[in-house]
Amino acid sequence: MTATLTASVCLLLLLAGIGNFGSDAARSSTKVATQLYHLEWNRVQETDQSWRCWTEGYRPNAANSNKMHETTNGTEAEVRRILGFNQSTTVLFMANSNSDNQNLRTEFTIAPSRMVRLSLDNVGLERLEIGPFAGNENDCRLADLSVPRNRLSEVPQGLDRLTVLRKLDMRHNALVRFPLDRLRKATKLKRLLLAHNQLEAFVTDDQVSFGELQELDLSHNRLKALDSTRWSAPVLASFHVDHNRMLTAIEGWSKTRFPLVRGFDPAGTNNWNQTWLKSVQ
């Protein structure tokens, strides 16, 4: 009798434990399913789209433009819905988040020749592309593309179609390779920011010229070699390449080719070849 009673009590305790485990699992599942992400965004729409290409000094016409601003804490589905806005009349869209977005997964496709400025900061981007393009069509509107603090591991498809790009910011992503010749049509580029990636290669197969490039940031990467022979940037003044610990020299570098760059810190975070360093300082 005692043995039977003991067995019954144990069975009840076991069932109660299973019930509690199930409740905890359900609560945990609900918590994950309802995780909220902070998002602040601005959008400018312009109803008159008769103009075609961006030019320096462009400002949306107040008479036919509409500005929106919103801050929200939403689910992943809501974030995706916001990022899926209609681009047909949008000339500016800027979104940023200050939450931990490790579990947020988003993608974005930029419609050609619509937006002038796009900024997606810490929105969980894992894939970005520009297009589709018809034939030899280019994008002559997008002047500012900023996508920092995401998880992009590849350069966006369609980057080689941007002809008026002035700024490209891809800091704090997961890029391993950056083919510079993908920007060969962006001849007016002024700022190229690629710090805090995992870059092992910054290369070009073709000669590229950036007559207005003023800032190039390749710091905090994994570069072991860097060849500047095939790129021209005569007004480059701000060049950051620190915290590439395996980098010993820059092929093709000289004060004649890059006269505005002040030089390199001999006691910095790179393993400079001192003979090379003295020759370019």
Side-chain angles (χ1 to χ4, degrees):
M1 179 69 177
T2 303
T4 302
L5 180 60
T6 301
S8 299
V9 171
C10 290
L11 179 60
L12 288 172
L13 290 173
L14 178 61
L15 291 173
I18 293 174
N20 288 335
F21 175 78
S23 299
D24 291 342
R27 283 193 294 269
S28 176
S29 175
T30 302
K31 183 178 180 181
V32 171
T34 57
Q35 182 174 353
L36 300 180
Y37 302 96
H38 166 268
L39 191 71
E40 181 176 0
W41 58 272
N42 293 275
R43 182 183 178 193
V44 176
Q45 291 177 286
E46 192 173 24
T47 54
D48 179 10
Q49 293 287 311
S50 58
W51 61 282
R52 183 171 181 271
C53 295
W54 177 87
T55 56
E56 198 80 47
Y58 161 81
R59 293 289 184 277
N61 189 332
N64 56 45
S65 63
N66 178 38
K67 299 179 181 180
M68 291 165 281
H69 173 264
E70 186 175 325
T71 300
T72 185
N73 289 295
T75 62
E76 181 172 301
E78 289 173 308
V79 171
R80 289 181 175 179
R81 179 187 59 78
I82 292 171
L83 296 182
F85 63 92
N86 185 345
Q87 299 181 36
S88 62
T89 59
T90 301
V91 292
L92 177 148
F93 186 83
M94 300 173 63
N96 69 85
S97 174
N98 60 18
S99 57
D100 181 354
N101 293 339
Q102 291 186 7
N103 295 323
L104 183 61
R105 303 284 186 270
T106 65
E107 299 180 353
F108 195 90
T109 299
I110 303 172
S113 294
R114 292 296 181 185
M115 285 181 284
V116 169
R117 183 178 183 184
L118 175 66
S119 178
L120 302 173
D121 183 352
N122 189 32
V123 297
L125 268 185
E126 294 188 334
R127 183 171 174 270
L128 176 68
E129 66 177 45
I130 309 161
F133 291 90
N136 295 322
E137 176 190 11
N138 291 313
D139 185 312
C140 65
R141 281 197 184 184
L142 190 58
D144 186 331
L145 176 57
S146 299
V147 286
R149 298 193 300 160
N150 287 291
R151 290 187 295 276
L152 296 170
S153 59
E154 295 182 354
V155 172
Q157 290 291 326
L159 194 66
D160 57 335
R161 303 292 189 105
L162 303 182
T163 60
V164 298
L165 190 66
R166 297 301 192 268
K167 174 187 174 184
L168 177 61
D169 183 355
M170 297 189 72
R171 290 173 294 179
H172 292 275
N173 275 280
L175 298 176
V176 175
R177 185 176 186 274
F178 191 92
L180 187 59
D181 46 3
R182 295 279 290 277
L183 288 171
R184 61 184 176 275
K185 291 184 179 179
T187 56
K188 303 295 185 181
L189 187 68
K190 293 184 177 181
R191 302 181 69 200
L192 178 55
L193 310 176
L194 301 172
H196 293 276
N197 275 276
Q198 301 169 22
L199 284 178
E200 297 178 359
F202 182 78
V203 296
T204 175
D205 293 328
D206 303 317
Q207 190 74 31
V208 290
S209 179
F210 301 103
E212 298 185 19
L213 185 64
Q214 299 171 7
E215 181 179 4
L216 174 59
D217 192 348
L218 301 175
S219 63
H220 295 269
N221 278 292
R222 301 175 180 177
L223 293 170
K224 297 179 181 179
L226 187 58
D227 188 348
S228 69
T229 305
R230 293 185 177 180
W231 34 283
S232 172
V235 299
L236 181 65
S238 180
F239 179 50
H240 304 285
V241 72
D242 51 286
H243 289 88
N244 284 276
R245 298 184 182 278
M246 299 300 291
L247 189 61
T248 61
I250 303 175
E251 189 73 24
W253 190 274
S254 71
K255 288 294 292 183
T256 303
R257 296 186 63 228
F258 303 97
L260 301 182
V261 177
R262 292 183 178 179
F264 306 96
D265 183 0
T269 53
N270 299 339
N271 187 27
W272 294 123
N273 177 304
Q274 294 300 310
T275 301
W276 172 84
L277 190 62
K278 290 177 182 178
S279 71
V280 298
Q281 295 287 50

